[in-house]
Amino acid sequence: MSEAMGMDFDTLRQAMADNQEQPEGPARNARAEQLLVEAEKLNIPLAVIETLGHQLKVYNYSSEKDKMFVPFARLLRMWDERPEDFDEYETHSLHWVFKWMSAGMLDQPHIPLASIEKWLGEMEHRYRLAGHSERAVRGAEFSVAAHLGDVDRAERAYTAWLAADRDTMADCHACELHSQGWWRAERDADEEALELWRPVLEGEYTCAHEPHTVLASSLVPLLRLGRLDEARAHHLRGFRLVRPMESMRGAYADHVEFCALSGNEARALELLAERPAYFTDSGDPRSKLDFMAVTALLMDRLTGLGLGDQPVPGPAGREWTASGLAVHARGQALSLAALFDARNGTLYVSERARGRMDQRPLVERLPLGVRSRSARHLSPSGSATGPGTASASASARSSAAFVESDAGSDPSSLSALLAEARRLSATRSPDAVEAWAAVSRAAEGRELDVRDRAEIADHAAMERGPEGIELFHEAAGLYAEAGDPGEALAARARAAYVLALTGGPEEALATVSELYEGVLALLADGGTGVSQAASVLVGRARILMQLVQEGADEGEPGAAASGAAGSGTADSGTADSGTAGDEVVGAAEAAVRELLALAEPHISDVRMASRAAEARAMLGELAAHAGDAEAAAELLGQASEAFVAAGLPWFAVEYESRLAGIARHLGDAEGAERAARAALEHGGPRLEPMGHAQLHLQLAEVLGATGQFGPASEHALEAAHWADEAGQGPTLGAWARHQLGGFLLRQERWAEAAEILESALPDLTTEMHGDGAIVQTRWWLGDCLTELGEHRAAAEHWLRAADVARRWPEQRDHAMLAHLAAEALGHAELPAQAEQAYARAGDLWRAVGNVHGLIRSLRARAWVALRTDSGLEGARESMGAAVRECEEGLLAMSSSVGAEAVVGSDAAEDSDAAEARHRLVAELGHTHRQFGDLVARSVPDDAQEALAHYTRAISVFASLGDDALDARTGAELAAGWLEADLLRPAAAAARARAVLSAYAGADGEAAQARRAEAENMLGVTEKA
């Protein structure tokens, strides 16, 4: 019936039910107002009463809470004038919303306190007349006292509230526990609060807005208690619930506050950007106060980080910076607080708002896993820094620069800097480069001897990349001038290695071959030391290893090299690109072994110990290149141990990471985990963010492969965080989030997994991550969303994944995704789309030769067909097709077995064939059982057809023996009830006795349930 013609009462009720399912907000409220106009046309008081009640509900759960009072006043007047117009449900509803009015009045500062107190008395009086407990009244009084900051009265009301009997007017358990826990948290009893909230958090008590608000309220208490993993989980799980609900601005503010207090300022900005209307919606002043207070908190935090000029989301109509919005939001919050205080006659609301705005961060940085920039990446200049971003540790900077500020005028201070830099170089500390940079800065404008200038240039070159080549040559000249020809050759060898890394390996090899000859001659004549010779030999070995690696990258066993790269007897020359790859591998191995032989007798010197360890690592890489994984693992392990023994654990990190990969390849899960953990431990604070990300991700994958999903998720979380810190969020960060989502899913942490996977999806690309990662992410998302009851969204992800998988040669995944999508569409009450998806899945199952998938898709299609235009006829057709597929499959198996009997087959083949036949017979039994159910439910008058299918199912299941006992007795009982409906009590009783006989002496839940149902059936038939 069109609205232009007016609605009847039933149509009006359906329209209200439909509107109730719409998203919260002004559009739903406007529809409720239209429906009231329609109700008034009917001249039916109950229609108006129900529509006013509907208005109250949608106003209460929206940003227009201030509109509640008018429809409630009208309802109350109607009750006072003609209570008989209210049915039982509407009488209950009227008294129920008294509580909403009490809370609503508190939220509106223009309503005088005297009016609120008077209302409490009115509520108490009416509840008493209606025979209700005072529990709801005392709860309302507690809310008033807590809002006023009257602690004594609040505690008295709280005690009375909990002591009063629960009745039909009491708030649901979940809402009551939220309020109780909130008060304990307000009274600095966070542990008590969380214990009170536990049943809500664990799902024992829920409602339309719980655990939404409990999750939000728990965030700051959890941070205060240091329970950071729980805080992160509650944010991811809770924000997902709050996000679509317009009425939950206060809970939304709690999530913004959490981000501001946990080092997730960028995430907090994203939350603000999602809800621009929250800055201006005025229907609920108290939640607006909360929102503006946490906005001020966030903006002050950004300003304190030096990001006051950062553009930020804010109220529409102008561009905002963090510092500008900080002033505006604080002013708005304090103005609203002043209105409440003026109404209340206290300063409590303003003091509480100031306390919230002035909070200090509780955690420097709590990784959340979702894609987000860190605060340091918000700055256009990139000047802000974060943990792990420096190439040298803070301690190194201080040790290198403790006298730098005075060195310009104090020669002794410069001497101290030089001494510290040389000490760090001698111990091969990675902080040496920064120490020499400090020397360089302190020496500006000063006269230095030539040796000092050589060392400054040498170390400056080490952090310049390709630009350092000239500096190395400059250092070489200065070393030669200072009378140290061996160090000059070493500096030139370092330049040659940089050249090899930047595209000139053949030229570099020719150069280093000359240097090699020269340094060995010097060493033989006593013109240089072993350390300088080792520096040249390690440069030569590294260049040859680079050639080996380039050959491997090009698919060759090695790379080209001339005889000059061979043993020490070779003359200098240029690389010959035509030389076989095996030759350069041999040259590299000879060079490495020569380095090892030179260094190993001198490992008491940390520099020589480092050279020896690196040589062993190179031998390990060569073994891996040759395909000898066991030898590679042993050598890399020796190298790592040698670095650690020499007090140089940071040099072991690269090789421990490589070892972890090889151990995993060898199936040594424990060894892989041990090596990956060692790499993380030895990298420590010296790792760059990208190094942290890569190592954490490697360990996560190692742990995940062995089913340790909890620890794996922790390391995947760290990997995502450090990838974001490194500016690699869309690349490595997306892959880490993909992995993290999978690990969380395997722990059945559905909401957290969904948030992470949805966050990863926009950054996953075919070019960077591959189609498989995208399909798997959508597949996992569908699994999560199904568990969360979001079936339409699950279907969308599965269908989009199927569209990618349809291009793959192997089509099993395509079929499975289409089938899953069909199931989700059915659950989402979209039967026509589900029927199409099942048809697609069936065709795919047939194409890949999976008869079980085909049969199940046909059965499922039959059930959804009942709700489409296909109707019962289409349902029967699909179920009949499922029966035929079973029978034809069994016939084909029988023919195949007969053929095999002629040519002979072994026992294993016979066992596999028997198992396959057993499964297909079971499918036939289940299909007849479902066919019977379908007919019995759809055509009650045609019980004979349903009974025939049940009987066939019983016979099929019986042929499988005890393996199908539960299935057989289930069909037997279904047939028995149908016999009873056909007025055949004796037949029904016989079936019941057959079930009891089948389970004689059996234990277990299934046996007990079957016996109970059979006995019930006997009781019914005896009465008949």
Side-chain angles (χ1 to χ4, degrees), residues 667-716:
D668 180 5
E670 291 184 5
E673 181 180 345
R674 186 166 54 251
R677 288 191 184 280
L680 267 175
E681 177 188 349
H682 294 147
R686 298 183 185 278
L687 285 172
E688 295 285 341
M690 195 60 174
H692 276 292
Q694 291 168 333
L695 291 178
H696 277 293
L697 184 56
Q698 182 181 40
L699 182 52
E701 292 174 340
V702 167
L703 292 167
T706 57
Q708 300 177 69
F709 301 125
S713 63
E714 293 171 9
H715 287 284

Side-chain angles (χ1 to χ4, degrees), residues 809-897:
E810 165 52 51
Q811 288 289 284
R812 186 184 182 284
D813 285 341
H814 185 193
M816 191 68 212
L817 286 162
H819 197 120
L820 289 169
E823 289 181 356
L825 289 166
H827 288 305
E829 301 300 325
L830 297 169
Q833 294 92 321
E835 187 177 13
Q836 292 175 358
Y838 277 125
R840 174 184 177 184
D843 291 342
L844 290 165
W845 287 129
R846 188 187 302 278
V848 300
N850 189 320
V851 66
H852 297 280
L854 172 59
I855 292 163
R856 289 169 187 175
S857 67
L858 286 167
R859 291 199 304 247
R861 184 180 178 186
W863 285 105
V864 297
L866 290 173
R867 296 181 285 154
T868 70
D869 292 342
S870 299
L872 181 59
E873 182 179 350
R876 274 197 172 113
E877 182 180 339
S878 291
M879 203 66 84
V883 171
R884 287 193 299 276
E885 292 294 340
C886 291
E887 292 173 342
E888 290 171 6
L890 289 169
L891 183 60
M893 283 185 179
S894 297
S895 301
S896 175
V897 169

Side-chain angles (χ1 to χ4, degrees), residues 953-989:
I954 294 165
S955 174
V956 172
F957 287 135
S959 72
L960 297 176
D962 290 343
D963 287 347
L965 177 61
D966 292 341
R968 175 173 67 81
T969 54
E972 191 85 69
L973 288 168
W977 289 116
L978 205 55
E979 300 273 21
D981 289 341
L982 292 170
L983 302 180
R984 300 173 182 170

Side-chain angles (χ1 to χ4, degrees), residues 57 151 161 217 243 316 458 473 481 560 588 605 625 633 696 737 770 778 800 808 871 925 958 971 982:
K57 289 176 186 175
V151 175
W161 168 31
S217 296
R243 177 188 278 140
D458 199 3
H473 285 296
E481 185 180 342
D605 181 330
H625 175 79
H696 277 293
R737 277 182 267 280
R778 290 196 181 278
R800 293 183 68 176
W808 295 352
L982 292 170

Side-chain angles (χ1 to χ4, degrees), residues 564-897:
S567 68
T569 60
D571 59 357
S572 63
T574 58
D576 176 8
S577 61
T579 305
D582 287 344
E583 194 171 321
V584 74
V585 173
E589 182 174 354
V592 172
R593 292 194 181 279
E594 188 174 0
L595 170 64
L596 183 61
L598 176 69
E600 208 157 33
H602 306 282
I603 59 173
S604 58
D605 181 330
V606 68
R607 291 170 296 183
M608 301 307 289
S610 173
R611 300 304 188 203
E614 185 175 355
R616 290 197 181 278
M618 289 180 183
L619 290 173
E621 295 289 354
L622 288 169
H625 175 79
D628 190 346
E630 289 84 355
E634 182 177 354
L635 287 161
L636 289 171
Q638 291 173 3
S640 301
E641 291 170 5
F643 277 123
V644 174
L648 305 171
W650 47 85
F651 287 122
V653 172
E654 175 185 352
Y655 307 113
E656 286 164 336
S657 176
R658 182 87 168 97
L659 177 58
I662 293 173
R664 191 174 171 191
H665 170 74
L666 291 171
D668 180 5
E670 291 184 5
E673 181 180 345
R674 186 166 54 251
R677 288 191 184 280
L680 267 175
E681 177 188 349
H682 294 147
R686 298 183 185 278
L687 285 172
E688 295 285 341
M690 195 60 174
H692 276 292
Q694 291 168 333
L695 291 178
H696 277 293
L697 184 56
Q698 182 181 40
L699 182 52
E701 292 174 340
V702 167
L703 292 167
T706 57
Q708 300 177 69
F709 301 125
S713 63
E714 293 171 9
H715 287 284
L717 175 70
E718 288 293 327
H721 160 65
W722 286 111
D724 290 342
E725 288 290 321
Q728 295 297 314
T731 53
L732 186 66
W735 180 254
R737 277 182 267 280
H738 161 82
Q739 295 281 49
L740 174 58
F743 296 143
L744 291 169
L745 174 142
R746 290 178 178 93
Q747 297 171 71
E748 299 185 359
R749 294 161 66 177
W750 311 112
E752 295 168 68
E755 279 293 303
I756 300 298
L757 293 168
E758 287 174 345
S759 179
L761 199 52
D763 290 327
L764 293 172
T765 64
T766 298
E767 296 74 21
M768 177 62 66
H769 306 97
D771 278 350
I774 296 171
V775 168
Q776 183 64 80
T777 299
R778 290 196 181 278
W779 196 324
W780 282 337
L781 254 177
D783 291 340
C784 292
L785 296 172
T786 294
E787 293 291 339
L788 295 170
E790 300 176 37
H791 300 293
R792 186 189 292 256
E796 180 182 348
H797 283 293
W798 280 330
L799 286 171
R800 293 183 68 176
D803 283 340
V804 176
R806 67 185 170 85
R807 300 191 294 269
W808 295 352
E810 165 52 51
Q811 288 289 284
R812 186 184 182 284
D813 285 341
H814 185 193
M816 191 68 212
L817 286 162
H819 197 120
L820 289 169
E823 289 181 356
L825 289 166
H827 288 305
E829 301 300 325
L830 297 169
Q833 294 92 321
E835 187 177 13
Q836 292 175 358
Y838 277 125
R840 174 184 177 184
D843 291 342
L844 290 165
W845 287 129
R846 188 187 302 278
V848 300
N850 189 320
V851 66
H852 297 280
L854 172 59
I855 292 163
R856 289 169 187 175
S857 67
L858 286 167
R859 291 199 304 247
R861 184 180 178 186
W863 285 105
V864 297
L866 290 173
R867 296 181 285 154
T868 70
D869 292 342
S870 299
L872 181 59
E873 182 179 350
R876 274 197 172 113
E877 182 180 339
S878 291
M879 203 66 84
V883 171
R884 287 193 299 276
E885 292 294 340
C886 291
E887 292 173 342
E888 290 171 6
L890 289 169
L891 183 60
M893 283 185 179
S894 297
S895 301
S896 175
V897 169

Side-chain angles (χ1 to χ4, degrees), residues 167-182:
D167 66 352
T168 57
M169 282 298 113
D171 282 341
C172 75
H173 282 289
C175 290
E176 283 202 336
L177 288 172
H178 171 247
S179 297
Q180 292 162 22
W182 171 84

Side-chain angles (χ1 to χ4, degrees), residues 67-136:
K67 291 186 174 182
M68 289 193 302
F69 303 105
V70 172
F72 181 73
R74 183 175 174 187
L75 271 174
L76 196 57
R77 185 172 64 252
M78 293 176 73
W79 169 262
D80 289 338
E81 291 173 356
R82 290 181 56 84
E84 63 272 16
D85 288 340
F86 289 70
D87 62 16
E88 182 179 356
Y89 178 81
E90 293 303 327
T91 299
H92 178 274
S93 296
L94 175 69
H95 287 82
W96 182 268
V97 296
F98 268 84
K99 298 178 294 182
W100 294 359
M101 295 305 107
S102 176
M105 288 178 179
L106 280 179
D107 293 344
Q108 305 295 329
H110 67 276
I111 298 179
L113 183 60
S115 298
I116 296 173
E117 296 286 6
K118 181 180 178 182
W119 179 254
L120 274 176
E122 177 76 9
M123 180 179 174
E124 183 172 9
H125 172 69
R126 289 180 178 266
Y127 271 41
R128 189 180 299 115
L129 286 177
H132 296 307
S133 163
E134 66 171 12
R135 188 178 183 95

